[in-house]
Amino acid sequence: MAFTKKVTLKSSDGELFIIDRAVALQSRTIQYVLEDTNPVDAIIPVPAVDARTLSKVLEYCKKHLIDLNTDFEDYSKWDKDFVDAEVWMLYDLIMAADYLHIPPLIDLICDKIASMFKGQTPDKIREIFNIDNDFSKEEEEDFKKKSGWAFK
Amino acid sequence: MMPALKVRNPERKNVEESHMDEIETRPWSDLPQDLIVSIMERLYVADRVRLRAVCKGWHLQPNRGIKAIDKLPWTMEYKWRNPKSMSFWSVCKLYEPLHHNRRLSYMVEKDRIRGRKNFANAEVRASRYSWVLFYKDDCWEGKFFFFNPFTKEVIFLPILESPVSEFATFSLAPTSPDCFVFVPYLRNCNKISINIYSHADKTWKTHDLVANDHPLGTLKAVGYMEGTFYCHFCSFQLAAFNIADQEVSLVMTTCPALDHLDDSLFYYLSRSYLLECDGDLLLVYLLESFLCWHQLYVLKLDWSRNEWVRVSRLGGRAMFLGETSFCVSAGGETEIIANRIYYHHDGVPEFQTLDLCSFDEYDSQGHDYLTWEKEKKGEAGNAKIYGCCRKSLKTIWIQPP
């Protein structure tokens, strides 16, 4: 074959991942790199993603490549377990999926994060996601005054 | 397929290993805006409002064009305290349609002492984009104002010196400078005055239109579609006001589907609604009869022939009729209520469901109209996404933001 079937990715912390080309092609970012340069046996750096996150992202890409024929139910259960992760991991994953441009993974994590927001108060959301409240007392009162219906 | 081969880089530092044990935090408040938008697009209005109140990074402007997940209209129940009456409170409540067995209600305001005195006796004229246009007839002076129950904003328009305006509608949210308010007034059977308020100019302008050929007849319904306001008269003439040209025009339309009906029906027993859906101008006639059933006609304007043709299927769309009316396009959430018409009007304190799917059945029996009955209790439970409302309060359909 003219193309090499393996691709090597290098994470931000220098770890190397040798994966099937088809797996890597699920990332549009990598797809563009491969189309542009077609690096034979070259290492593609992924400077925005660390090894821990990259291995998890690749796990997703592999699963979704292999299991194209599995029925929907199997698939959704695997996805559900995949995003059943700590919130910091969800952050790393969504940022990686965004950088690598893997739309189905972005959708999956957005679904997960949205489900965590449902029915929660701003205080509870700040607690779960460890976010500082940077609104002033006046601004907070203004929300309650204007859209108090949503906070009760 | 070969499993991926993981090669450990010997230069990897131990510092990072030890880092893993700590409680990890991430700068969630700096999440890229397009990701926040995709998350918000998965949430209903109340969740979105709360999410915007979490931190400044997530406080996206409401007009950022986040797609609405709530395609279905909500209902708003209200009563404004009349200072002269014995009722001691003003109330305004919003109801979400049922999503996955949860139907939530939100109290916008309930005031036992002050109430909204200046809202008392105001009547709803139209609603779009979560804004409600009210009209209040105060000592022969017409007062129009906008109220948004989701944000509690109120916008009063300058006084319109015109007799009682039974019909009015508007084009865009009144926060937009391109918002126009349309108030037609039938002076006599041949002459109509069209009052147009431009939110940019903050003034009312009046355009007169004289029908030379045929009398106009009663004004039955007003509507707005793609830059043009429409008035439907029982003579089936259609007056149009184009915002860009600032011109009024009049066309004679025909409607063979209704030709067999007695004229008096139109004068006394019918209600009509002019709606826009997916680029079609729809006219709905609801004829109340003394018998236990009603007749309903859904008509679509064929622009090439100026003819109203009967629509036999809603094509998955859903219609909401009442003092404010909406037509919701097909797909997604609307599937559970597809092809149904929800009807609510003063004096009819229940939502009634019409199922146009049965149209062909009626048609094959030789009927040339669609009859409908109130949906039986317990039947088609999935269509019951709107509950009953209280008789003491007014109820209207409202689009969530």
Side-chain angles (χ1 to χ4, degrees):
Chain A
M1 270 192 106
F3 292 117
T4 170
K5 288 179 81 181
K6 293 280 178 188
V7 172
T8 306
L9 305 182
K10 187 180 177 186
S11 68
S12 63
D13 42 0
E15 212 166 289
L16 298 179
F17 293 82
I18 301 170
I19 52 164
D20 287 320
R21 189 187 160 88
V23 171
L25 282 177
Q26 288 187 64
S27 155
R28 293 200 192 153
T29 307
I30 292 173
Q31 188 190 331
Y32 294 141
V33 173
L34 289 172
E35 276 169 6
D36 278 1
T37 57
N38 195 21
V40 181
D41 296 330
I43 293 169
I44 301 170
V46 188
V49 186
D50 66 11
R52 184 170 57 184
T53 315
L54 190 56
S55 74
K56 188 107 171 133
V57 170
L58 293 175
E59 187 190 331
Y60 174 88
C61 292
K62 267 177 263 167
K63 179 73 184 177
H64 280 244
L65 189 70
I66 295 162
D67 287 358
L68 280 181
N69 295 322
T70 21
D71 61 79
F72 184 74
E73 210 174 318
D74 276 355
Y75 216 59
S76 63
K77 189 185 178 312
W78 189 91
D79 281 354
K80 198 168 163 274
D81 292 342
F82 182 80
V83 290
D84 187 16
E86 299 281 339
V87 287
W88 56 262
M89 179 51 102
L90 291 177
Y91 182 89
D92 291 350
L93 280 174
I94 199 168
M95 294 302 281
D98 191 42
Y99 172 78
L100 291 166
H101 202 164
I102 309 168
L105 182 56
I106 297 173
D107 283 343
L108 177 63
I109 304 165
C110 283
D111 281 343
K112 170 69 182 177
I113 296 171
S115 74
M116 295 168 79
F117 288 151
K118 272 178 198 161
Q120 301 288 10
T121 61
D123 281 337
K124 188 77 188 164
I125 294 170
R126 284 188 210 111
E127 189 192 313
I128 297 169
F129 291 87
N130 210 334
I131 296 168
D132 289 332
N133 183 2
D134 52 2
F135 287 116
S136 65
K137 276 269 176 301
E138 292 75 38
E139 283 170 319
E140 286 207 296
E141 265 161 34
D142 190 48
F143 298 147
K144 300 252 161 91
K145 206 174 107 198
K146 279 183 178 163
S147 310
W149 61 273
F151 294 93
K152 279 165 201 161
Chain B
M1 188 145 310
M2 287 266 292
L5 188 63
K6 198 170 158 184
V7 182
R8 186 162 275 273
N9 188 324
E11 286 170 340
R12 190 180 160 127
K13 288 168 189 151
N14 284 331
V15 182
E16 286 180 22
E17 295 275 354
S18 65
H19 205 74
M20 290 169 95
D21 297 333
E22 292 169 24
I23 297 164
E24 309 224 15
T25 59
R26 292 291 183 273
W28 281 99
S29 49
D30 300 333
L31 201 66
Q33 299 241 315
D34 53 333
L35 291 177
I36 299 170
V37 170
S38 339
I39 293 166
M40 284 212 185
E41 280 172 356
R42 291 161 160 82
L43 295 168
Y44 294 105
V45 180
D47 287 321
R48 289 181 186 196
V49 170
R50 289 190 292 259
L51 203 56
R52 292 176 73 245
V54 168
C55 61
K56 284 181 178 163
W58 294 3
H59 194 74
L60 302 183
Q61 291 312 305
N63 56 4
R64 243 197 77 116
I66 301 172
K67 270 185 277 165
I69 187 171
D70 304 61
K71 278 181 101 178
L72 304 177
W74 289 26
T75 53
M76 173 177 136
E77 278 184 6
Y78 69 96
K79 182 174 189 170
W80 315 123
R81 184 193 166 215
N82 181 350
K84 288 172 197 154
S85 82
M86 290 300 286
S87 75
F88 288 102
W89 40 267
S90 286
V91 65
C92 178
K93 214 171 170 184
L94 292 165
Y95 289 89
E96 265 184 50
L98 188 71
H99 298 298
H100 311 294
N101 295 321
R102 118 194 139 124
R103 181 171 195 257
L104 298 173
S105 65
Y106 303 97
M107 185 62 79
V108 175
E109 56 189 28
K110 188 169 186 174
D111 201 321
R112 285 183 176 277
I113 304 147
R114 288 169 294 119
R116 283 195 184 265
K117 283 182 193 132
N118 53 353
F119 280 24
N121 301 327
E123 293 170 15
V124 169
R125 286 293 178 261
S127 177
R128 303 169 75 85
Y129 310 113
S130 73
W131 286 88
V132 187
L133 177 64
F134 282 93
Y135 172 75
K136 196 178 161 184
D137 189 16
D138 250 4
C139 307
W140 308 103
E141 282 180 337
K143 277 184 188 164
F144 281 94
F145 65 90
F146 283 103
F147 175 62
N148 185 332
F150 294 92
T151 59
K152 290 171 89 171
E153 287 165 282
V154 182
I155 297 174
F156 275 93
L157 304 190
I159 286 163
L160 172 65
E161 283 164 14
S162 169
V164 178
S165 314
E166 210 181 317
F167 294 95
T169 189
F170 60 103
S171 60
L172 294 170
T175 42
S176 157
D178 297 329
C179 167
F180 286 87
V181 180
F182 173 80
V183 185
Y185 174 69
L186 197 63
R187 298 213 167 264
N188 57 48
C189 62
N190 287 313
K191 189 179 171 189
I192 186 160
S193 289
I194 286 173
N195 300 297
I196 292 284
Y197 173 75
S198 155
H199 200 50
D201 301 345
K202 305 264 186 288
T203 51
W204 289 98
K205 273 188 192 137
T206 305
H207 304 256
D208 288 330
L209 178 74
V210 178
N212 294 318
D213 304 333
H214 303 277
L216 291 165
T218 322
L219 178 56
K220 295 295 290 183
V222 295
Y224 171 78
M225 185 173 105
E226 293 165 6
T228 305
F229 290 108
Y230 295 94
C231 285
H232 166 69
F233 300 93
C234 71
S235 61
F236 273 85
Q237 293 186 82
L238 188 71
F241 179 83
N242 184 286
I243 292 173
D245 305 340
Q246 295 280 305
E247 263 175 33
V248 194
S249 57
L250 192 67
V251 275
M252 178 55 94
T253 61
T254 57
C255 186
L258 296 181
D259 276 351
H260 64 287
L261 291 169
D262 192 315
D263 280 351
S264 63
L265 276 172
F266 288 113
Y267 287 103
Y268 306 112
L269 296 165
S270 68
R271 287 201 188 93
S272 51
Y273 308 89
L274 210 49
L275 304 165
E276 182 269 329
C277 195
D278 299 334
D280 286 331
L281 190 62
L282 302 175
L283 177 64
V284 182
Y285 259 94
L286 183 65
L287 310 183
E288 287 184 19
S289 114
F290 297 112
L291 301 170
C292 60
W293 41 263
H294 304 261
Q295 296 173 24
L296 177 96
Y297 297 84
V298 180
L299 309 157
K300 182 175 103 176
L301 188 62
D302 176 345
W303 298 91
S304 61
R305 291 182 294 160
N306 287 335
E307 184 184 310
W308 293 99
V309 287
R310 216 167 71 209
V311 174
S312 61
R313 285 178 182 282
L314 286 181
R317 298 186 280 202
M319 231 179 241
F320 300 85
L321 305 177
E323 279 178 288
T324 60
S325 300
F326 296 97
C327 188
V328 175
S329 59
E333 259 193 299
T334 54
E335 266 170 45
I336 51 165
I337 52 144
N339 304 314
R340 288 195 162 82
I341 294 177
Y342 284 76
Y343 170 69
H344 177 262
H345 196 272
D346 229 17
V348 186
E350 274 177 50
F351 297 107
Q352 305 192 26
T353 307
L354 302 96
D355 190 349
L356 281 194
C357 291
S358 49
F359 180 85
D360 286 349
E361 230 172 276
Y362 286 111
D363 221 25
S364 64
Q365 289 168 16
H367 295 259
D368 56 358
Y369 49 80
L370 175 69
T371 59
W372 57 277
E373 284 176 83
K374 229 160 85 177
E375 206 159 84
K376 289 184 190 92
K377 268 183 191 167
E379 209 177 287
N382 61 352
K384 285 185 167 289
I385 60 165
Y386 294 98
C388 293
C389 53
R390 280 181 287 171
K391 279 184 186 175
S392 57
L393 304 175
K394 285 257 188 191
T395 303
I396 58 163
W397 304 107
I398 185 164
Q399 263 177 326

PDB file of all heavy atoms in Angstrom, chain A residues 6-20:
ATOM      1  N   LYS A   6      -0.067   2.997   9.850  1.00  0.00           N
ATOM      2  CA  LYS A   6       0.063   3.445  11.244  1.00  0.00           C
ATOM      3  C   LYS A   6       0.436   4.925  11.298  1.00  0.00           C
ATOM      4  O   LYS A   6       1.086   5.443  10.399  1.00  0.00           O
ATOM      5  CB  LYS A   6       1.164   2.639  11.952  1.00  0.00           C
ATOM      6  CG  LYS A   6       0.826   1.173  12.127  1.00  0.00           C
ATOM      7  CD  LYS A   6      -0.103   0.981  13.304  1.00  0.00           C
ATOM      8  CE  LYS A   6      -0.469  -0.505  13.437  1.00  0.00           C
ATOM      9  NZ  LYS A   6      -1.503  -0.720  14.439  1.00  0.00           N
ATOM     10  N   VAL A   7       0.004   5.548  12.380  1.00  0.00           N
ATOM     11  CA  VAL A   7       0.294   6.954  12.585  1.00  0.00           C
ATOM     12  C   VAL A   7       0.806   7.097  14.015  1.00  0.00           C
ATOM     13  O   VAL A   7       0.327   6.412  14.914  1.00  0.00           O
ATOM     14  CB  VAL A   7      -0.990   7.798  12.412  1.00  0.00           C
ATOM     15  CG1 VAL A   7      -0.761   9.244  12.809  1.00  0.00           C
ATOM     16  CG2 VAL A   7      -1.503   7.706  10.988  1.00  0.00           C
ATOM     17  N   THR A   8       1.793   7.949  14.215  1.00  0.00           N
ATOM     18  CA  THR A   8       2.281   8.172  15.572  1.00  0.00           C
ATOM     19  C   THR A   8       1.901   9.572  16.027  1.00  0.00           C
ATOM     20  O   THR A   8       2.173  10.559  15.338  1.00  0.00           O
ATOM     21  CB  THR A   8       3.812   8.004  15.626  1.00  0.00           C
ATOM     22  OG1 THR A   8       4.130   6.728  15.069  1.00  0.00           O
ATOM     23  CG2 THR A   8       4.319   8.083  17.060  1.00  0.00           C
ATOM     24  N   LEU A   9       1.242   9.639  17.193  1.00  0.00           N
ATOM     25  CA  LEU A   9       0.869  10.926  17.770  1.00  0.00           C
ATOM     26  C   LEU A   9       1.725  11.176  19.007  1.00  0.00           C
ATOM     27  O   LEU A   9       2.034  10.244  19.753  1.00  0.00           O
ATOM     28  CB  LEU A   9      -0.606  10.944  18.178  1.00  0.00           C
ATOM     29  CG  LEU A   9      -1.645  10.603  17.107  1.00  0.00           C
ATOM     30  CD1 LEU A   9      -3.046  10.734  17.689  1.00  0.00           C
ATOM     31  CD2 LEU A   9      -1.495  11.482  15.881  1.00  0.00           C
ATOM     32  N   LYS A  10       2.108  12.422  19.191  1.00  0.00           N
ATOM     33  CA  LYS A  10       2.912  12.768  20.360  1.00  0.00           C
ATOM     34  C   LYS A  10       2.146  13.766  21.222  1.00  0.00           C
ATOM     35  O   LYS A  10       1.765  14.841  20.765  1.00  0.00           O
ATOM     36  CB  LYS A  10       4.229  13.382  19.893  1.00  0.00           C
ATOM     37  CG  LYS A  10       5.225  13.619  21.018  1.00  0.00           C
ATOM     38  CD  LYS A  10       6.486  14.239  20.441  1.00  0.00           C
ATOM     39  CE  LYS A  10       7.484  14.570  21.529  1.00  0.00           C
ATOM     40  NZ  LYS A  10       8.636  15.293  20.971  1.00  0.00           N
ATOM     41  N   SER A  11       1.893  13.360  22.475  1.00  0.00           N
ATOM     42  CA  SER A  11       1.110  14.214  23.370  1.00  0.00           C
ATOM     43  C   SER A  11       1.946  15.392  23.852  1.00  0.00           C
ATOM     44  O   SER A  11       3.160  15.436  23.653  1.00  0.00           O
ATOM     45  CB  SER A  11       0.608  13.402  24.560  1.00  0.00           C
ATOM     46  OG  SER A  11       1.711  13.042  25.364  1.00  0.00           O
ATOM     47  N   SER A  12       1.285  16.321  24.539  1.00  0.00           N
ATOM     48  CA  SER A  12       1.972  17.534  25.015  1.00  0.00           C
ATOM     49  C   SER A  12       3.096  17.189  25.980  1.00  0.00           C
ATOM     50  O   SER A  12       4.109  17.881  26.040  1.00  0.00           O
ATOM     51  CB  SER A  12       0.974  18.454  25.702  1.00  0.00           C
ATOM     52  OG  SER A  12       0.437  17.800  26.844  1.00  0.00           O
ATOM     53  N   ASP A  13       2.914  16.085  26.742  1.00  0.00           N
ATOM     54  CA  ASP A  13       3.962  15.699  27.684  1.00  0.00           C
ATOM     55  C   ASP A  13       4.901  14.655  27.089  1.00  0.00           C
ATOM     56  O   ASP A  13       5.580  13.927  27.820  1.00  0.00           O
ATOM     57  CB  ASP A  13       3.344  15.251  29.013  1.00  0.00           C
ATOM     58  CG  ASP A  13       2.114  14.386  28.829  1.00  0.00           C
ATOM     59  OD1 ASP A  13       1.733  14.131  27.667  1.00  0.00           O
ATOM     60  OD2 ASP A  13       1.522  13.965  29.831  1.00  0.00           O
ATOM     61  N   GLY A  14       4.910  14.550  25.756  1.00  0.00           N
ATOM     62  CA  GLY A  14       5.943  13.776  25.082  1.00  0.00           C
ATOM     63  C   GLY A  14       5.689  12.294  24.902  1.00  0.00           C
ATOM     64  O   GLY A  14       6.542  11.579  24.379  1.00  0.00           O
ATOM     65  N   GLU A  15       4.516  11.819  25.325  1.00  0.00           N
ATOM     66  CA  GLU A  15       4.260  10.398  25.172  1.00  0.00           C
ATOM     67  C   GLU A  15       3.866  10.097  23.721  1.00  0.00           C
ATOM     68  O   GLU A  15       3.192  10.896  23.077  1.00  0.00           O
ATOM     69  CB  GLU A  15       3.126   9.986  26.112  1.00  0.00           C
ATOM     70  CG  GLU A  15       3.283   8.571  26.613  1.00  0.00           C
ATOM     71  CD  GLU A  15       2.362   8.291  27.789  1.00  0.00           C
ATOM     72  OE1 GLU A  15       2.608   8.832  28.899  1.00  0.00           O
ATOM     73  OE2 GLU A  15       1.405   7.536  27.588  1.00  0.00           O
ATOM     74  N   LEU A  16       4.312   8.918  23.232  1.00  0.00           N
ATOM     75  CA  LEU A  16       4.009   8.564  21.841  1.00  0.00           C
ATOM     76  C   LEU A  16       2.899   7.537  21.781  1.00  0.00           C
ATOM     77  O   LEU A  16       2.866   6.599  22.581  1.00  0.00           O
ATOM     78  CB  LEU A  16       5.260   8.009  21.159  1.00  0.00           C
ATOM     79  CG  LEU A  16       6.455   8.964  21.046  1.00  0.00           C
ATOM     80  CD1 LEU A  16       7.625   8.254  20.366  1.00  0.00           C
ATOM     81  CD2 LEU A  16       6.089  10.230  20.283  1.00  0.00           C
ATOM     82  N   PHE A  17       2.005   7.700  20.824  1.00  0.00           N
ATOM     83  CA  PHE A  17       0.893   6.776  20.628  1.00  0.00           C
ATOM     84  C   PHE A  17       0.931   6.320  19.173  1.00  0.00           C
ATOM     85  O   PHE A  17       0.780   7.142  18.272  1.00  0.00           O
ATOM     86  CB  PHE A  17      -0.444   7.458  20.914  1.00  0.00           C
ATOM     87  CG  PHE A  17      -0.641   7.842  22.354  1.00  0.00           C
ATOM     88  CD1 PHE A  17      -0.086   9.022  22.858  1.00  0.00           C
ATOM     89  CD2 PHE A  17      -1.368   7.028  23.210  1.00  0.00           C
ATOM     90  CE1 PHE A  17      -0.268   9.368  24.179  1.00  0.00           C
ATOM     91  CE2 PHE A  17      -1.552   7.381  24.541  1.00  0.00           C
ATOM     92  CZ  PHE A  17      -0.997   8.551  25.033  1.00  0.00           C
ATOM     93  N   ILE A  18       1.168   5.018  18.974  1.00  0.00           N
ATOM     94  CA  ILE A  18       1.162   4.497  17.610  1.00  0.00           C
ATOM     95  C   ILE A  18      -0.210   3.867  17.367  1.00  0.00           C
ATOM     96  O   ILE A  18      -0.585   2.910  18.053  1.00  0.00           O
ATOM     97  CB  ILE A  18       2.287   3.472  17.402  1.00  0.00           C
ATOM     98  CG1 ILE A  18       3.635   4.151  17.688  1.00  0.00           C
ATOM     99  CG2 ILE A  18       2.262   2.950  15.973  1.00  0.00           C
ATOM    100  CD1 ILE A  18       4.797   3.185  17.758  1.00  0.00           C
ATOM    101  N   ILE A  19      -0.933   4.432  16.453  1.00  0.00           N
ATOM    102  CA  ILE A  19      -2.314   3.968  16.241  1.00  0.00           C
ATOM    103  C   ILE A  19      -2.590   3.754  14.756  1.00  0.00           C
ATOM    104  O   ILE A  19      -1.860   4.246  13.897  1.00  0.00           O
ATOM    105  CB  ILE A  19      -3.344   4.985  16.792  1.00  0.00           C
ATOM    106  CG1 ILE A  19      -3.055   6.386  16.242  1.00  0.00           C
ATOM    107  CG2 ILE A  19      -3.351   4.982  18.309  1.00  0.00           C
ATOM    108  CD1 ILE A  19      -4.193   7.333  16.401  1.00  0.00           C
ATOM    109  N   ASP A  20      -3.674   3.018  14.495  1.00  0.00           N
ATOM    110  CA  ASP A  20      -4.079   2.816  13.112  1.00  0.00           C
ATOM    111  C   ASP A  20      -4.487   4.153  12.502  1.00  0.00           C
ATOM    112  O   ASP A  20      -5.107   4.978  13.163  1.00  0.00           O
ATOM    113  CB  ASP A  20      -5.272   1.854  13.058  1.00  0.00           C
ATOM    114  CG  ASP A  20      -4.833   0.437  13.347  1.00  0.00           C
ATOM    115  OD1 ASP A  20      -3.752   0.043  12.868  1.00  0.00           O
ATOM    116  OD2 ASP A  20      -5.561  -0.258  14.085  1.00  0.00           O
TER     117      ASP A  20
END
